Amino acid sequence: MPSTTEITVQQLSRLVGLPDAPVLIDVRIDEDYQADPRLLPASCRRNFRTVANWAGEFTGSRVVIICQKGQKLSQGVAAWLRHEGIEAESLEGGFEAWAAAKAPLVMAGAIPPRDDKGRTVWVTRARPKVDRIACPWLIRRFVDPEAVFLFVDAAEVPAVADRFSAVPFDIDNVFWSHRGERCTFDTMIEEFGLASEALDRLALIVRAADTARLDLVPQAAGFLAASLGLSRMFRDDLEQLEAGMLLYDAFFRWCRDATEETHNWPSGSKPS
């Protein structure tokens, strides 16, 4: 009989990157984490010993707990969360099973330092079009769901980054930016270690739309049109970002699940 308190690697891998993905909490002991300092996408680290102190942060969320092998630590923490009324499961086989399945993992060393609320903080130019929506989408879906994004005048990005301990991206002469013919979205996929068939396919669409090379892939023109349309619909960059998240969610699902699907209007029966 399938477990009601565990989720399999296959089941969880279908949820990663989606807007309704569960909260992932890594409770591996420090020795195991230091031996392989990678994280499941969008997961956060917590100390299993202090679960009673932090459990309340996740009230109302669906949670999956990850330890090294899916045994005592993750099952114990998940049980404690369920005691607190939180929907919680442990990952069957734990981190080892996830890594063995070659499921996506984020290079923890690439994640910038977090603020005192546990969030990464990023800053870029105002009035985003393509790359400056693509990168926040990638970060929130695969790196840090609580990430903060500051949109400011282009000339002020370096100073804002300095004064507010924010990470600048998609401007000249910073780490998180274009590299050759590849855009910032490509850079983030590479640096975070997130390469996958679906994200690589999406990256090609983003690159084509962002660098005026619409011949790279057929979807680029429509993607650019939708992105530019969104930029005209919203005066507030954060409202545009929220709307853009849905656009990228849809294209990600197409890249992952629907590239072979076609659509045609049924012709019905021929007139007599």
Side-chain angles (χ1 to χ4, degrees):
M1 180 177 178
S3 172
T4 59
T5 60
E6 289 183 304
I7 186 171
T8 67
V9 168
Q10 183 179 13
Q11 290 169 331
L12 183 57
S13 67
R14 297 294 297 171
L15 300 175
V16 164
L18 304 186
D20 56 352
V23 175
L24 307 184
I25 303 177
D26 184 315
V27 297
R28 286 178 291 164
I29 61 174
D30 289 343
E31 290 83 354
D32 287 335
Y33 173 70
Q34 290 163 6
D36 190 343
R38 296 179 294 171
L39 294 165
L40 271 68
S43 64
C44 59
R45 290 268 295 157
R46 287 291 189 276
N47 188 330
F48 72 91
R49 294 183 178 88
T50 57
V51 59
N53 297 332
W54 52 259
E57 297 177 31
F58 302 99
T59 299
S61 299
R62 179 188 177 189
V63 177
V64 174
I65 306 298
I66 301 102
C67 69
Q68 187 70 5
K69 297 183 178 181
Q71 297 174 352
K72 54 185 178 295
L73 295 188
S74 58
Q75 292 189 29
V77 170
W80 189 282
L81 294 180
R82 291 194 296 272
H83 169 74
E84 297 290 334
I86 298 166
E87 183 182 357
E89 302 165 290
S90 58
L91 176 62
E92 184 180 71
F95 180 87
E96 288 186 358
W98 184 269
K102 300 189 183 305
L105 287 164
V106 176
M107 303 297 294
I111 302 174
R114 299 174 186 265
D115 68 4
D116 57 5
K117 293 186 177 180
R119 307 167 299 185
T120 56
V121 182
W122 305 77
V123 60
T124 191
R125 297 170 287 138
R127 307 310 301 143
K129 299 295 189 298
V130 179
D131 222 3
R132 284 165 287 152
I133 298 293
C135 294
W137 174 84
L138 184 75
I139 291 166
R140 283 194 174 162
R141 293 290 184 253
F142 290 90
V143 180
D144 177 14
E146 304 302 320
V148 174
F149 295 97
L150 309 177
F151 294 96
V152 302
D153 290 345
E156 301 302 324
V157 171
V160 170
D162 178 60
R163 296 297 179 88
F164 293 89
S165 299
V167 181
F169 71 97
D170 203 44
I171 64 169
D172 290 337
N173 302 315
V174 299
F175 182 80
W176 300 101
S177 193
H178 286 229
R179 297 178 183 176
E181 295 185 344
R182 298 167 71 83
C183 62
T184 309
F185 189 71
D186 291 299
T187 297
M188 290 194 172
I189 289 175
E190 178 183 357
E191 293 295 335
F192 287 126
L194 283 170
S196 68
E197 185 176 353
L199 283 177
D200 290 348
R201 184 177 287 122
L202 179 58
L204 184 58
I205 298 172
V206 171
R207 189 186 318 145
D210 192 56
T211 60
R213 290 182 290 163
L214 302 184
D215 58 311
L216 288 180
V217 62
Q219 295 76 28
F223 189 79
L224 177 61
S227 299
L228 296 179
L230 279 176
S231 74
R232 300 301 192 276
M233 290 173 62
F234 297 94
R235 290 175 57 86
D236 186 298
D237 293 339
L238 293 176
E239 290 183 4
Q240 182 189 339
L241 173 57
E242 290 307 310
M245 295 291 288
L246 181 60
L247 175 68
Y248 280 81
D249 287 336
F251 268 81
F252 174 67
R253 287 302 298 270
W254 178 83
C255 289
R256 196 189 75 174
D257 301 327
T259 57
E260 300 301 319
E261 184 175 338
T262 59
H263 179 71
N264 192 14
W265 185 69
S267 59
S269 58
K270 294 182 179 180
S272 57

